[in-house]
């Protein structure tokens, strides 16, 4: 039995205490070849309802519109319920799958089976999900390397002085990175020394899904001293890095500590929605000034802050921005 089906069975047992016994669907030969190449098919029974599981073979996410087309083709050969099974689905596509009423399961994460009245969201497994996401301080260590400023001999003390964290926090970051296997850590005298894989592109691609958006919160504010306000972020920064038009509400970034100090020292008005002549303030989990260039946030952090934006123009601009990086 494939791992994805094992996870599917385990998920039902853990969350609903339902034992499933899926078996290979023998009639899949009647389906078009491209569907047989793309999916494995299993039949089972869930609460006495015959169900066909359409399990994606590759870890390539299809758009919900494409999944809908595939389901319609399979429905010609299977008259009961069909469940789309995928190891990983973005939050944006999960929402679209639900909008299209497509039954789906992401093992150990979420299941949406409207024909059974079941809708278990990812917060039931948020601890398991966040285990794969590195901490903001560890992310800062990775970004320090990716932005080309890392020393050849990296120690917890060097990074603590450079990034503004404690030595203990940097030691934990070393442990976290060593567990991922993207770097080597050796003892030189009494010091631990970290060295990343020399291929920066490989480091970025390996760590991308393990890093989070630095943005903790967004506020809309009006301030009298815009010129000395944070560093450019969001769509304002993306306009600097690409040919995207600047947004009507300029975007800046600060840490929580910086924002509290700024708010106390300056006259500011805070709004819940965009207002004319207001700016967008992003509160970041690490200092946006660590890797800024000419008062603009770094490309990697910017990409992380916008990668889940559904606007195709923004995604195209992000792609052009990343293509310009000299790896």
């Amino acid at each position: 039995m494939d791992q994805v089906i094992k996870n599917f069975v385990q998920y039902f047992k853990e969350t609903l205490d339902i034992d499933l016994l899926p078996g290979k669907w023998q009639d899949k030969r009647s389906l078009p070849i491209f569907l047989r190449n793309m999916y494995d098919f299993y039949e089972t029974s869930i609460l006495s309802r015959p169900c066909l599981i359409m399990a994606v073979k590759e870890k390539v996410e299809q758009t919900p519109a494409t999944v809908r087309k595939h389901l319609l083709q399979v429905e010609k050969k299977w008259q009961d319920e069909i469940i789309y099974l995928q190891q990983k689905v973005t939050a944006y596509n999960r929402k679209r799958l639900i909008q299209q009423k497509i039954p789906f399961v992401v093992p150990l994460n979420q299941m949406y089976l409207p024909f059974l009245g079941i809708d278990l969201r990812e917060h039931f497994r948020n601890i398991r999900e966040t285990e794969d996401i590195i901490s903001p301080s560890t992310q800062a260590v990775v970004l320090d390397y990716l932005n080309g400023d890392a020393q050849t001999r990296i120690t917890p003390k060097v990074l603590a002085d450079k990034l503004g964290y404690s030595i203990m926090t940097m030691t934990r970051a070393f442990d976290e990175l060593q567990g991922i296997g993207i770097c080597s850590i050796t003892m030189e005298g009494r010091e631990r020394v970290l060295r990343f894989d020399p291929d920066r592109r490989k480091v970025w691609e390996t760590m991308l899904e393990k890093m989070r958006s630095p943005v903790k919160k967004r506020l809309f504010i009006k301030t009298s001293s815009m010129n000395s306000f944070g560093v450019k972020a969001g769509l304002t920064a993306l306009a600097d890095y690409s040919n995207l038009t600047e947004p009507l509400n300029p975007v800046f970034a600060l840490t929580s500590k910086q924002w509290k100090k700024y708010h106390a020292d300056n006259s500011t008005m805070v709004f819940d929605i965009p207002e004319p002549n207001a700016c967008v303030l992003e509160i970041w989990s690490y200092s946006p000034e660590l890797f800024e260039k000419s008062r603009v946030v770094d490309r990697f952090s910017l990409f992380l802050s916008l990668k889940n934006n559904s606007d195709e123009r923004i995604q195209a601009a992000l792609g052009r921005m990343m293509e310009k990086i000299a790896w």
Side-chain angles (χ1 to χ4, degrees), residues 151-171:
Q151 305 295 318
T152 56
R153 187 177 184 276
I154 310 171
T155 67
K157 186 179 187 310
V158 167
L159 285 175
D161 293 341
K162 185 177 184 181
L163 302 180
Y165 293 98
S166 69
I167 294 177
M168 182 63 71
T169 298
M170 291 295 92
T171 298

Side-chain angles (χ1 to χ4, degrees), residues 1 4 42 51 73 88-89 184 236 260 310:
M1 187 182 296
V4 65
Y42 301 84
C51 298
Q73 294 217 39
K88 189 173 184 180
V89 180
S184 65
T236 298
K260 288 177 182 178
S310 60

Side-chain angles (χ1 to χ4, degrees), residues 270-319:
V270 182
F271 305 91
D272 294 328
I273 58 175
E275 290 279 338
N277 302 317
C279 68
V280 181
L281 171 62
E282 294 183 346
I283 307 298
W284 277 31
S285 58
Y286 52 86
S287 174
E289 296 179 340
L290 283 174
F291 317 112
E292 57 90 7
K293 305 289 184 183
S294 303
R295 304 303 293 169
V296 182
V297 298
D298 69 283
R299 287 178 170 85
F300 299 103
S301 295
L302 180 60
F303 183 92
L304 292 169
S305 73
L306 293 172
K307 70 173 183 176
N308 291 326
N309 191 297
S310 60
D311 191 312
E312 293 182 358
R313 297 177 304 108
I314 293 173
Q315 292 304 316
L318 286 174

